[in-house]
């Protein structure tokens, strides 16, 4: 996934007459692919690795990708767009691995709920978006719901 997205972005950079950025992006894509093949995959398939740590990584990369949506300016900025796409790809990779080890309802409730909560708080901090008491109440209920799903998983 990372390699495919990286190659597509590199081709689009070349078509936009940004050959140097395209070459840099190809290098970064190959480096990330090598890292995942030789370092991350053996670590994350280790049975002793904490599954919830992988779930947290999936949430973190999803939040990074979502927070970069406004920065990418409708996918016209190459660097934020490429980081955004890679973040989503990595997030779905971790999500796929975790969904084999935990019930899907727990995985998705945690991923989406904590992601929504994090994005709302970070949007308030970085993008100066407002949070009224109704929004904060809803976020609080999401956290309670995710906690209950995790406590009473089967």
């Amino acid at each position: 996934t990372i390699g495919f997205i990286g190659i597509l972005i590199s081709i689009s950079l070349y078509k936009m007459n940004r050959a140097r950025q395209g070459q840099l992006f190809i290098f970064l894509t190959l480096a990330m692919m090598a890292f995942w093949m030789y370092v991350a995959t053996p670590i994350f398939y280790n049975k002793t690795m904490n599954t919830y740590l992988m779930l947290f990584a999936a949430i973190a990369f999803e939040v990074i990708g979502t927070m970069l949506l406004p920065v990418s300016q409708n996918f016209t900025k190459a660097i934020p767009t490429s980081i955004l796409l890679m973040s989503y790809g990595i997030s779905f990779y971790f999500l796929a691995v975790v969904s084999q080890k935990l019930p899907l309802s727990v995985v998705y409730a945690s991923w989406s709920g904590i992601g929504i909560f994090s994005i709302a708080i970070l949007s308030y901090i970085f993008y100066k978006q407002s949070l009224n008491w109704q929004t904060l109440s809803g976020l609080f209920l999401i956290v309670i719901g995710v906690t209950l799903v995790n406590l009473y998983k089967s």
Side-chain angles (χ1 to χ4, degrees):
T1 303
I2 294 170
F4 180 71
I5 292 171
I7 290 170
L8 287 178
I9 293 170
S10 298
I11 292 170
S12 66
L13 287 171
Y14 276 112
K15 287 185 178 181
M16 295 183 332
N17 294 324
R18 296 182 178 171
R20 184 177 171 142
Q21 291 174 338
Q23 291 170 348
L24 176 66
F25 200 79
I26 287 174
F27 173 75
L28 291 174
T29 302
L30 293 174
M32 287 186 70
M33 288 172 56
F35 173 78
W36 284 113
M37 285 173 49
Y38 297 111
V39 178
T41 302
I43 289 172
F44 287 114
Y45 277 107
N46 187 346
K47 298 294 182 191
T48 61
M49 185 60 149
N50 190 348
T51 304
Y52 282 98
L53 183 61
M54 286 189 285
L55 181 57
F56 176 74
I59 294 166
F61 280 108
E62 185 262 339
V63 168
I64 291 169
T66 303
M67 291 300 294
L68 286 173
L69 281 171
V71 178
S72 72
Q73 297 179 0
N74 293 330
F75 305 109
T76 58
K77 302 290 183 185
I79 293 174
T81 299
S82 59
I83 296 171
L84 178 151
L85 292 173
M86 283 190 277
S87 295
Y88 278 133
I90 294 168
S91 176
F92 280 108
Y93 171 78
F94 284 137
L95 202 61
V97 172
V98 171
S99 69
Q100 295 174 1
K101 299 178 180 187
L102 291 174
L104 189 58
S105 60
V106 172
V107 171
Y108 191 69
S110 302
W111 183 73
S112 60
I114 296 171
I116 290 169
F117 179 82
S118 301
I119 290 164
I121 299 300
L122 292 173
S123 294
Y124 173 76
I125 295 168
F126 292 109
Y127 299 126
K128 308 297 183 218
Q129 295 179 352
S130 64
L131 287 176
N132 54 27
W133 70 270
Q134 295 94 340
T135 305
L136 290 173
S137 300
L139 292 173
F140 183 68
L141 291 172
I142 288 172
V143 171
I144 290 173
V146 169
T147 304
L148 288 173
V149 167
N150 278 289
L151 284 176
Y152 298 106
K153 63 183 175 212
S154 55

